[in-house]
Amino acid sequence: MAKTLVLAEKPSVGKELARVLGCRRGGDGYLEGDRYVVTWALGHLVTLADPDVYDKKLEKWNMEDLPMLPEPMKLVVIRETSRQFKVVQSLMKRSDVSELVIATDAGREGELVARWIMVKAGWNKPAKRLWISSQTDRAIREGFANLKPSQDYDDLFRSAQARSEADWLVGLNVTRALTCKYNAQLSAGRVQTPTLALIVQREDEIRRFVPKEFYGAAIELDGFHATWRDKNGQGRTFDRAEAEKIVRECTAKPCVLSQVSRMKRQTPPPAAYDLTELQRDANRKYAYSAKETLDLMQSLYERHKVLTYPRTDSRYISDDVVPTLPDRLRAVMTGPYKELAQQVFRARPLQTKYLVNNAKVTDHHAIIPTEEAPDLLQMTGPERNIYDLVVRRFLAVLLPPFTYEQIKLTVSVGDYHFVANGRLVRQQGWKAAYDKLAGLGDEQAEEDEQRLPELTQGQRMQVRAARVTTGKTSPPARYTEATLLTAMEHPAGQVEDKHLSQILQQTSGLGTPATRADIIEKLFSSFYIERHGKELMPTSKGIQLIGLVPPELRSAELTARWEDRLARIAKGQERDREFVSQMRTYAAKLVEQVKASDAKYTHDNQTRKPCPQCGKLLLLVKGKRGDMLVCPDRECGFRKSVTQVTNARCPNCHKKLELWGEGDKRMFACACGYREKLSDFTERRKRDGAGKSDVRRYLAQQQNQQQTANPAMADALAKWMEKNKK
């Protein structure tokens, strides 16, 4: 009997597909049933070949060997996952396998994962495409009942491959050119570099900013206060004497309520989440990095199956999803959401005005709950937090607008006018989905408002007190991950060309929802940026790099041009080979620009400590989890942790402790001055009653979060656990 081979992108997804399809017989890297054989990749199993595959001399980085412009470009099996590739290839060559279902992630990158495996394995039989937005049993069954011909996605594959080849040609050539030219570990790319340029430019604006003091005036009346406004509606002046004159002339003077305006207003609910908006809110509320949020979403999508596909750039759903909304509401009638979900459910027909928009749905609709009832107790704390954000937003967008009455009073004291604002809530609407603990109910910062007494126009009053108010102009705020994600999503301001700016507004901006998290992580791991609290700051290396790269790579304009052409390729309106050919010419041009540059690069973080492997002086850099010593030689690659930010808390100020030193001399240190030896720390945890599970959890967290291993601490805690075994 002929069988259908199903290729998933990850083992977790493959096993879920196999369960639904009735494939219960286990094999090495696959599961089999009477009709289907389900196997999986491990992400990419096949990739573009490294330069040395084309020519052995390219193993060494030499300027004279640039540019590297291989044609045609070769595919190679990734060595670390070659075993699974052989499994997939052998299944593809089985005589009883007659067709293939591509079940990798439904998007540009997922298409590339599958097609490259098919090309490298020599697949030449019929293929179909599974395109679903959630991993529930129902979605899988419906997806297999409505499989599409793989040919429908050929142009999407060509677009993905063209993007990958162009990034190879530009990124590898410019990175090698910069590294060879300046003898430093430098890298550049069409998305990474303009993202770094945003941070560097903001830091330059802050450094050049000169604060100016400004002044205003405020008066106190019976039951409320009001602030001065000039004839243009401005409430500040840079002339202190003017503010003092206003206060002097208004103190203890009679006044009249010259205007009372009442206006009914409403605020519609915020749109449902796409990945970038979810990452922003998770960073603002929980300080999760973009990568952490994506990983948590992936778990809620694949493992728990309670949320839909995460890598989406749409904030709406299409008409065909509307019939499933009642089932999705039933699924979230649990825990803290039960009462509100029931309220929304009873108010049918559902209010979908702010949720449904066919024109704004791309490959995948917004992130919303699935029809699968959640087991909240099986989720980790961070998973619960992300789930909470999505469910509350889902309920909010199905609720009516928040309605209120905006009250504005104008008080006249002689020739001066003062205003006071108030608000009277008429209907909570969508804000009922958010309480003070949930937060994030307000999408915009609201004007400072107060409870106002009942007043009538023309009423006379007395100024009880008047005072000068002062403040200073503030520099632009440094980026956080939340605001950087916004800037990456909407980088049109970087581009002067109106047409290209419009393209960036219509496309996903810098990177895609799926790649932005990795881009930010790459900036950290390359030591181009560092974190100060929530703020992101460029390092000296990052600032210098922006001055060294060809100007075209600093702007989002390159991405705009690429995305425009890649979108045309995906629609079959442009040939992919023509685009890649032009990228070869462009890469050669960029290399020549680097070669011709007379700019200099300085290691201003160089220490006096020699590298134990190559002898070059080590650099002191601030990694995401602490300070490190790094060899400047790319081929050496030596790294050593100096300090590590741990999850252990200071007993005095409760901030996270840093771990200093090596071996038996390791000790914890805190900015408040607290110091504690590692051995004393172990004894204190034992004395305070920390269980073995606490220590085991602590070790697991450190292993997952630290960039480099912490063997001395791990050994000490492991010995303590062994000693206390019963």
Side-chain angles (χ1 to χ4, degrees):
M1 178 180 174
K3 293 190 176 183
T4 298
L5 179 64
V6 179
L7 175 61
E9 191 163 328
K10 299 173 186 173
S12 57
V13 176
K15 290 169 184 176
E16 284 302 310
L17 294 175
R19 181 183 60 78
V20 174
L21 296 172
C23 301
R24 296 181 178 84
R25 297 193 297 277
D28 183 10
Y30 68 95
L31 290 164
E32 187 167 355
D34 296 335
R35 183 179 171 189
Y36 295 98
V37 180
V38 179
T39 188
W40 45 81
L42 302 170
H44 278 281
L45 298 181
V46 176
T47 189
L48 292 173
D50 288 332
D52 60 279
V53 172
Y54 301 98
D55 192 331
K56 276 293 181 184
K57 72 177 183 180
L58 295 178
E59 287 182 344
K60 296 286 185 181
W61 290 33
N62 296 311
M63 186 69 89
E64 55 268 24
D65 295 328
L66 301 178
M68 305 172 293
L69 306 171
E71 190 174 10
M73 301 190 79
K74 299 178 181 179
L75 294 175
V76 295
V77 176
I78 298 172
R79 185 178 60 185
E80 292 79 5
T81 56
S82 59
R83 184 178 177 207
Q84 183 61 21
F85 173 80
K86 290 175 182 176
V87 170
V88 176
Q89 185 179 43
S90 66
L91 292 172
M92 287 184 171
K93 292 185 179 300
R94 270 176 44 170
S95 59
D96 62 337
V97 170
S98 61
E99 70 171 358
L100 173 72
V101 172
I102 300 171
T104 50
D105 284 353
R108 188 166 73 178
E109 201 63 23
E111 198 67 29
L112 192 66
V113 167
R115 297 299 187 101
W116 274 357
I117 293 172
M118 292 162 66
V119 170
K120 195 65 179 173
W123 177 263
N124 56 11
K125 300 173 188 176
K128 294 180 180 177
R129 189 48 158 114
L130 175 71
W131 197 273
I132 56 176
S133 291
S134 64
Q135 292 290 326
T136 63
D137 292 10
R138 175 177 171 178
I140 292 169
R141 291 192 184 99
E142 289 179 355
F144 271 89
N146 296 281
L147 294 171
K148 309 283 177 61
S150 65
Q151 294 92 324
D152 290 358
Y153 300 90
D154 284 351
D155 288 330
L156 181 65
F157 162 60
R158 293 187 186 101
S159 173
Q161 181 168 259
R163 191 273 310 156
S164 187
E165 291 183 2
D167 276 336
W168 190 103
L169 290 164
V170 172
L172 265 64
N173 274 294
V174 176
T175 293
R176 285 203 177 196
L178 289 167
T179 299
C180 294
K181 173 82 173 181
Y182 301 106
N183 191 29
Q185 295 186 42
L186 301 174
S187 61
R190 69 175 177 95
V191 178
Q192 171 191 309
T193 305
T195 302
L196 175 60
L198 286 171
I199 301 171
V200 171
Q201 180 182 352
R202 178 61 55 85
E203 194 66 23
D204 184 55
E205 292 170 358
I206 293 170
R207 289 176 180 175
R208 289 188 288 105
F209 181 82
V210 179
K212 292 179 67 178
E213 194 160 17
F214 61 84
Y215 310 92
I219 58 173
E220 295 291 334
L221 300 127
D222 289 330
F224 68 102
H225 62 267
T227 55
W228 166 73
R229 292 288 187 272
D230 66 14
K231 60 183 179 181
N232 297 317
Q234 298 298 311
R236 63 169 66 174
T237 175
F238 293 101
D239 184 351
R240 184 182 183 93
E242 181 184 3
E244 290 175 341
K245 178 186 176 186
I246 295 169
V247 169
R248 191 166 55 249
E249 295 186 8
C250 293
T251 301
K253 295 289 178 67
C255 58
V256 63
L257 188 58
S258 56
Q259 187 177 8
V260 177
S261 67
R262 295 176 179 271
M263 189 173 294
K264 291 183 179 179
R265 295 184 179 274
Q266 64 176 29
T267 305
Y273 279 123
D274 63 3
L275 178 58
T276 303
E277 180 71 5
L278 180 61
Q279 288 170 322
R280 275 195 289 264
D281 277 359
N283 182 256
R284 282 197 292 260
K285 186 173 182 185
Y286 301 113
Y288 295 160
S289 71
K291 184 70 165 61
E292 286 173 314
T293 300
L294 177 56
D295 290 343
L296 292 167
M297 263 299 306
Q298 202 70 34
S299 175
L300 291 165
Y301 166 67
E302 291 179 2
R303 179 167 166 257
H304 298 284
K305 295 186 285 186
V306 293
L307 296 182
T308 57
Y309 185 72
R311 292 175 168 86
T312 177
D313 60 358
S314 175
R315 301 187 65 184
Y316 298 90
I317 66 171
S318 49
D319 287 326
D320 61 320
V321 183
V322 173
T324 70
L325 293 180
D327 287 339
R328 296 174 196 269
L329 280 168
R330 289 189 189 96
V332 299
M333 288 180 189
T334 183
Y337 322 111
K338 183 176 181 178
E339 186 177 338
L340 189 59
Q342 288 175 336
Q343 176 189 325
V344 174
F345 187 82
R346 286 194 296 265
R348 290 186 290 175
L350 295 176
Q351 166 68 267
T352 58
K353 176 180 177 181
Y354 304 103
L355 181 60
V356 178
N357 190 328
N358 290 334
K360 292 188 177 181
V361 176
T362 52
D363 291 341
H364 296 280
H365 59 66
I367 299 170
I368 58 175
T370 66
E371 304 94 323
E372 196 91 3
D375 186 344
L376 300 178
L377 295 177
Q378 291 299 313
M379 296 182 191
T380 64
E383 286 173 344
R384 277 284 303 271
N385 291 338
I386 297 300
Y387 183 72
D388 182 79
L389 287 176
V390 175
V391 172
R392 289 185 186 279
R393 179 61 61 89
F394 173 65
L395 294 173
V397 78
L398 291 172
L399 286 166
F402 168 67
T403 59
Y404 60 96
E405 191 174 41
Q406 182 76 51
I407 305 169
K408 183 177 181 180
L409 308 180
T410 301
V411 178
S412 298
V413 188
D415 294 332
Y416 300 109
H417 302 287
F418 296 78
V419 299
N421 292 294
R423 171 184 291 188
L424 184 61
V425 175
R426 296 299 184 189
Q427 184 183 12
Q428 279 292 104
W430 63 269
K431 290 199 175 186
Y434 297 93
D435 53 33
K436 290 181 180 179
L437 293 176
L440 296 175
D442 292 310
E443 292 299 298
Q444 301 176 3
E446 295 176 355
E447 196 174 352
D448 182 27
E449 291 170 339
Q450 55 188 311
R451 292 181 66 87
L452 296 174
E454 284 293 331
L455 298 166
T456 57
Q457 191 165 319
Q459 185 174 336
R460 295 189 176 278
M461 293 172 283
Q462 186 77 14
V463 175
R464 300 301 180 191
R467 59 187 173 86
V468 173
T469 59
T470 63
K472 285 188 176 181
T473 55
S474 302
R478 288 190 175 93
Y479 285 110
T480 63
E481 284 205 35
T483 56
L484 182 61
L485 286 166
T486 301
M488 293 175 74
E489 187 180 22
H490 304 289
Q494 291 188 74
V495 179
E496 294 181 4
D497 185 293
K498 290 184 178 179
H499 173 64
L500 295 175
S501 177
Q502 189 175 8
I503 292 169
L504 280 170
Q505 289 174 347
Q506 294 171 349
T507 61
S508 60
L510 286 173
T512 67
T515 60
R516 289 188 191 115
D518 287 333
I519 291 162
I520 295 172
E521 291 298 311
K522 179 71 182 296
L523 293 176
F524 278 115
S525 63
S526 300
F527 309 114
Y528 294 142
I529 63 173
E530 57 191 28
R531 197 191 307 277
H532 289 237
K534 279 191 175 184
E535 294 182 335
L536 306 180
M537 293 180 62
T539 62
S540 171
K541 180 180 181 182
I543 293 170
Q544 289 189 78
L545 175 65
I546 293 303
L548 298 175
V549 297
E552 293 170 66
L553 280 179
R554 301 174 202 161
S555 168
E557 185 171 321
L558 178 63
T559 286
R561 293 184 188 279
W562 281 27
E563 287 300 332
D564 183 33
R565 299 186 66 182
L566 291 170
R568 290 174 61 81
I569 293 169
K571 294 173 184 175
Q573 298 170 352
E574 183 173 340
R575 292 177 56 205
D576 56 321
R577 291 301 94 196
E578 181 180 342
F579 171 74
V580 175
S581 176
Q582 291 176 15
M583 289 304 105
R584 285 189 168 82
T585 304
Y586 181 62
K589 172 187 165 186
L590 292 176
V591 168
E592 291 307 313
Q593 287 182 23
V594 174
K595 287 181 178 179
S597 173
D598 57 1
K600 304 292 182 186
Y601 179 83
T602 304
H603 289 297
D604 57 3
N605 57 340
Q606 194 173 69
T607 69
R608 294 187 176 184
K609 296 181 179 179
C611 174
Q613 293 179 185
C614 70
K616 293 181 180 177
L617 295 179
L618 295 169
L619 309 176
L620 180 64
V621 299
K622 187 177 183 64
K624 199 172 182 182
R625 293 289 171 185
D627 293 340
M628 302 177 71
L629 289 172
V630 178
C631 182
D633 191 313
R634 182 200 62 82
E635 294 187 359
C636 173
F638 174 79
R639 292 186 178 192
K640 176 184 176 183
S641 177
V642 177
T643 67
Q644 296 171 1
V645 179
T646 72
N647 287 329
R649 295 285 179 171
C650 173
N652 292 340
C653 67
H654 305 294
K655 291 182 179 178
K656 288 185 177 182
L657 292 168
E658 289 186 344
L659 194 62
W660 292 65
E662 296 179 353
D664 295 336
K665 296 181 180 180
R666 286 202 158 191
M667 67 180 298
F668 287 103
C670 181
C672 73
Y674 178 80
R675 299 288 184 272
E676 184 178 27
K677 291 182 179 179
L678 175 62
S679 56
D680 294 338
F681 165 82
T682 307
E683 286 300 317
R684 179 167 61 83
R685 287 188 67 87
K686 179 180 177 181
R687 188 170 60 251
D688 291 346
K692 285 176 279 191
S693 61
D694 296 324
V695 179
R696 190 181 299 112
R697 191 181 306 113
Y698 178 82
L699 282 170
Q701 288 173 339
Q702 291 303 107
Q703 184 177 3
N704 289 335
Q705 293 182 4
Q706 293 174 0
Q707 291 177 341
T708 54
N710 189 354
M713 183 176 175
D715 289 347
L717 290 175
K719 288 177 183 176
W720 178 84
M721 290 176 64
E722 185 67 30
K723 180 180 176 182
N724 286 273
K725 277 185 178 178
K726 292 184 179 179

